[in-house]
């Protein structure tokens, strides 16, 4: 973990140096103006670091939102500036880009600026477009009637995803007229404070269906006791290594597993043991249909071995922006989408919200509408 944290901050520093050098050479301005622009760009990354070091809870809410948006957006913009300048450098080496395009160049400066503005305008619009993902699963007669479930994960409510955003999501969910709403963790981003100050619990209470959820790693970052209290205030049934059977839905069983951050959490096999013998006799003497909420999609084979019918996970965001999605594909058996392992259906969502900044490139913001037949 320490190595990842070290790389998380070290690599952007090298990126800042590389981009800063290119911007200095590129701009057709006097040195004093070049210095100001490069210093301003560097200060955005410094602000990102300071958001972690100082903590946003210590400053007024409005200022904290600005600090979060500017600092965290800079990381994504930096990534694409690095890729763009690498591409231009390669083009220069193979004589496709003239050297004058990258030095004291009006056309070069306007081209880079235009590309970045267009790309991140699209990325923000694409993020705000929430995609409805329909999915249908045959439960083989184990439910008394068809059910419609809305499932979402990684809301990351806080300094960037506000109550106004949540209100729009709640409207979309209510429009589906679900029997049940399931949340796969990370409702909270990095702090409970903005959720409390904006009274976001009131929006959750507008949901017209029961809500069950598990914890994600960000609930631990934000302070797990305060997160639990928010869940309670919002009317969300939090399942921490718990099993609940809902006879009103035809003996449907929901299993909420604690996040992987808790090293002492129960295994999937242990949780399945909590499905008692009385619960195991569902419709027509068949076993209940089991849905597992497990935030991080590791070791999917264990859910298959334990006999889970459907697992819903999030956490990956599918990298949020390309090419980070390629890294996610290398890390997980299923970093995004649906997978069937034996009789177990798995869906890993890219999330309805996002961490960091409101940009998506090559991924989508989504919620799953699961029809159980």
């Amino acid at each position: 973990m320490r190595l990842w944290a070290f790389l998380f901050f070290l690599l952007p520093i090298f990126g800042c140096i590389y981009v800063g050098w290119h911007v200095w050479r590129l701009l057709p301005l006097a040195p004093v103006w070049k210095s100001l622009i490069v210093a301003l760009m560097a200060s955005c990354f410094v602000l990102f670091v300071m958001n972690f070091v100082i903590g946003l809870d210590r400053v007024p809410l409005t200022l904290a939102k600005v600090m979060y948006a500017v600092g965290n957006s800079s990381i994504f913009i930096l990534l694409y500036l690095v890729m763009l300048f690498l591409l231009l450098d390669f083009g220069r080496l193979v004589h496709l880009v003239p050297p004058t395009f990258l030095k004291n160049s009006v056309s070069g400066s306007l081209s880079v600026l235009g590309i970045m503005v267009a790309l991140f305008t699209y990325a923000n619009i694409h993020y705000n477009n929430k995609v409805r993902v329909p999915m249908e699963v045959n439960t083989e007669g184990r439910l008394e009637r068809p059910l419609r479930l809305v499932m979402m994960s990684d809301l990351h409510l806080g300094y960037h995803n506000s109550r106004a955003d949540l209100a729009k999501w709640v409207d979309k969910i209510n429009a589906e007229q679900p029997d049940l709403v399931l949340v796969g963790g990370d409702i909270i981003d990095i702090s409970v404070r903005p959720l409390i100050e904006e009274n976001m619990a009131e929006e959750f209470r507008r949901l017209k269906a029961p809500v069950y959820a598990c914890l994600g790693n960000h609930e631990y970052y934000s302070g797990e006791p305060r997160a639990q209290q928010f869940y309670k205030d919002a009317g969300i049934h939090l399942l921490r290594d718990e099993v609940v059977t809902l006879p009103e839905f035809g003996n449907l069983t929901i299993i909420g597993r604690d996040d992987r951050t808790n090293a002492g959490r129960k295994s999937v096999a242990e949780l399945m043991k909590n499905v008692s013998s009385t619960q195991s006799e569902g419709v027509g003497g068949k076993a209940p249909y089991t849905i597992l909420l497990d935030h991080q999609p590791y070791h999917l084979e264990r859910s298959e071995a334990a006999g889970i019918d459907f697992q819903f996970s999030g956490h990956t965001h599918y990298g949020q922006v390309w090419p980070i999605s390629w890294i996610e594909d290398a890390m997980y058996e299923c970093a995004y989408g649906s997978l069937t392992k034996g009789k177990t259906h798995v869906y890993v969502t890219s999330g309805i919200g996002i961490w960091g900044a409101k940009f998506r490139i090559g991924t989508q913001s989504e919620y799953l509408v699961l029809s159980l037949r």
Side-chain angles (χ1 to χ4, degrees), residues 93-105:
L93 289 173
V94 297
H95 307 293
L96 293 176
V97 176
T100 54
F101 187 79
L102 294 174
K103 187 174 182 180
N104 298 324
S105 172

Side-chain angles (χ1 to χ4, degrees), residues 25-189:
R25 296 183 73 249
L26 181 66
L27 293 174
L29 301 172
V32 62
W33 292 109
K34 290 186 178 187
S35 299
L36 285 174
I37 292 173
V38 171
L40 180 62
M41 294 174 65
S43 67
C44 292
F45 173 69
V46 172
L47 183 60
F48 169 74
V49 177
M50 294 305 294
N51 288 346
F52 285 92
V53 175
I54 297 176
L56 295 172
D57 288 353
R58 299 183 181 184
V59 300
L61 182 61
T62 301
L63 178 59
K65 288 184 175 183
V66 173
M67 293 172 63
Y68 186 104
V70 173
N72 289 27
S73 296
S74 69
I75 293 298
F76 295 91
I77 295 171
L78 175 64
L79 170 64
Y80 276 82
L81 279 172
V82 168
M83 291 195 295
L84 179 57
F85 281 127
L86 283 173
L87 182 62
L88 290 171
D89 279 341
F90 177 77
R92 179 176 53 83
L93 289 173
V94 297
H95 307 293
L96 293 176
V97 176
T100 54
F101 187 79
L102 294 174
K103 187 174 182 180
N104 298 324
S105 172
V106 174
S107 60
S109 299
L110 291 177
S111 296
V112 170
L113 178 62
I115 290 171
M116 296 303 293
V117 169
L119 178 64
F120 281 94
T121 298
Y122 154 77
N124 178 256
I125 293 171
H126 186 51
Y127 164 73
N128 285 298
N129 177 35
K130 307 304 175 183
V131 179
R132 179 187 187 271
V133 178
M135 185 175 182
E136 186 171 315
V137 173
N138 185 353
T139 65
E140 300 176 348
R142 292 157 67 188
L143 297 176
E144 292 179 347
R145 63 179 178 87
L147 296 177
R148 172 175 289 188
L149 281 62
V150 172
M151 310 175 83
M152 58 181 174
S153 183
D154 299 275
L155 286 71
H156 288 275
L157 298 171
Y159 290 113
H160 61 319
N161 288 316
S162 65
R163 177 171 177 170
D165 295 306
L166 176 60
K168 295 176 184 177
W169 306 347
V170 169
D171 289 341
K172 288 182 179 292
I173 294 168
N174 282 336
E176 295 290 343
Q177 299 182 328
D179 296 291
L180 203 62
V181 177
L182 301 180
V183 186
D186 278 4
I187 288 178
I188 303 166
D189 186 47

Side-chain angles (χ1 to χ4, degrees), residues 213-215 220 224 228 238-242 256-258 262:
C214 66
L215 290 179
Y220 281 92
E224 173 262 327
Q228 283 199 78
L238 175 62
L239 302 177
R240 298 190 65 187
D241 283 348
E242 294 177 73
R257 194 179 184 198
D258 204 350
N262 176 11

Side-chain angles (χ1 to χ4, degrees), residues 143 245-253 278-279 281-283 288-289:
L143 297 176
T245 295
L246 306 173
E248 65 270 30
F249 297 123
N251 222 25
L252 178 69
T253 297
T278 56
Q279 291 173 322
E281 295 181 1
V283 178
Y289 191 84

